C-alpha cells in the first residue's frame, strides 16, 4: 500500500460516520425492459434458490460473495451468444458487448437494457455501484467507469452468477 492509498483509506474511515445513515444503506433503482414493460421481480425467498444453483453460485448471487479472479471458464468464452442469470435465466448480456478487461472476471461494456438493477454498495467504505438481476435480485457484480469507449463502462461480473447460451441455441424458459 502506498502513502496516497493509505491516506485515502484513513480519510474514508474518518468520513464514514459523517455520512447520513440512510445513505449507507443499499439504495436500489428501478428497472424497465427495453420493450417498455418493467421486468416483474420474483417474490421468491433467497433460500428457495439454494437447490437450483450450485453452492458457489448461491454464495455470489444471494450472499453477495465474490468468486476468485481468473476462476471462471466464461473468462475465455469467445463464441457469439447470450449470458443469462444463473438463477432465473433472465438474459443479462450479449456477447457483442463482452471484452477482455484483464481483471480476471467476465466484463461487458453494457447490459441488456432494463434487465439489470443497481444499488450503492459501501462494503469497501467508498461507494461502488453494485448490480443485480432485475428479476430474481441475484448479485452479479459491480460497474466501474474505466471501460472502453464509447460508454466507458466496465460491468465486471462474477462468472458463476452467469450461464452462457451459444448463438443458435434456444434460450431456456425463465425459471421462477
Amino acid at each position: 500500500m502506498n502513502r496516497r492509498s493509505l491516506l485515502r483509506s484513513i480519510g474514508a474511515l474518518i468520513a464514514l460516520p459523517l455520512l447520513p445513515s440512510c445513505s449507507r444503506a443499499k439504495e436500489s433503482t428501478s428497472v424497465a425492459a427495453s420493450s417498455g414493460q418493467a421486468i416483474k421481480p420474483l417474490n421468491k425467498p433467497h433460500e428457495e434458490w439454494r437447490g437450483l444453483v450450485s453452492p458457489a453460485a448461491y454464495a455470489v448471487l444471494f450472499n453477495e460473495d465474490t468468486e476468485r479472479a481468473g476462476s471462471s471458464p466464461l473468462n475465455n468464452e469467445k463464441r457469439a451468444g447470450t449470458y443469462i442469470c444463473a438463477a432465473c435465466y433472465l438474459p443479462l448480456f450479449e456477447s457483442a458487448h463482452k471484452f477482455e478487461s484483464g481483471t480476471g472476471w467476465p466484463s461487458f461494456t453494457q447490459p441488456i437494457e432494463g434487465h439489470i438493477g443497481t444499488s450503492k454498495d459501501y462494503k469497501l467504505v467508498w461507494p461502488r455501484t453494485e448490480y443485480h438481476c432485475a428479476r430474481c435480485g441475484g448479485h452479479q457484480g459491480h460497474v466501474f467507469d474505466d471501460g472502453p469507449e464509447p460508454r466507458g463502462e466496465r460491468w465486471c461480473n462474477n462468472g458463476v452468477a452467469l450461464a452462457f447460451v451459444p448463438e443458435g441455441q434456444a434460450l431456456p424458459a425463465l425459471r421462477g
Side-chain angles (χ1 to χ4, degrees):
M1 177 180 278
N2 65 30
R3 185 178 186 182
R4 180 176 286 154
S5 296
L6 178 64
L7 291 174
R8 281 187 186 149
S9 296
I10 291 170
L13 287 172
I14 291 169
L16 185 62
L18 302 176
L19 291 172
S21 60
C22 61
S23 70
R24 286 185 295 221
K26 269 188 142 178
E27 302 164 7
S28 188
T29 61
S30 61
V31 292
S34 54
S35 65
Q37 286 187 300
I39 297 291
K40 185 176 180 188
L42 295 173
N43 187 17
K44 183 173 188 157
H46 289 171
E47 187 60 35
E48 290 184 23
W49 292 105
R50 191 177 295 277
L52 299 175
V53 298
S54 71
Y58 184 86
V60 168
L61 288 161
F62 300 109
N63 291 329
E64 297 182 8
D65 202 356
T66 300
E67 70 182 345
R68 194 178 81 254
S71 65
S72 175
L74 294 181
N75 288 338
N76 300 317
E77 182 58 67
K78 307 289 187 227
R79 296 175 291 170
T82 304
Y83 293 83
I84 64 174
C85 174
C88 73
Y89 299 160
L90 181 69
L92 301 178
F93 297 97
E94 296 295 337
S95 62
H97 301 292
K98 186 173 187 266
F99 73 101
E100 178 50 57
S101 65
T103 61
W105 289 280
S107 295
F108 303 87
T109 58
Q110 66 187 58
I112 294 173
E113 186 180 342
H115 290 204
I116 295 287
T118 63
S119 59
K120 288 294 181 194
D121 171 350
Y122 293 90
K123 289 183 187 135
L124 296 179
V125 181
W126 61 90
R128 299 182 298 170
T129 301
E130 181 261 342
Y131 64 92
H132 52 272
C133 174
R135 192 161 176 270
C136 70
H139 169 77
Q140 294 290 323
H142 291 85
V143 63
F144 302 97
D145 63 1
D146 60 0
E149 293 300 324
R151 292 173 59 111
E153 298 170 351
R154 173 172 53 95
W155 295 77
C156 189
N157 217 99
N158 288 283
V160 73
L162 294 171
F164 178 72
V165 180
E167 189 173 66
Q169 277 189 17
L171 293 172
L174 294 177
R175 183 160 66 176

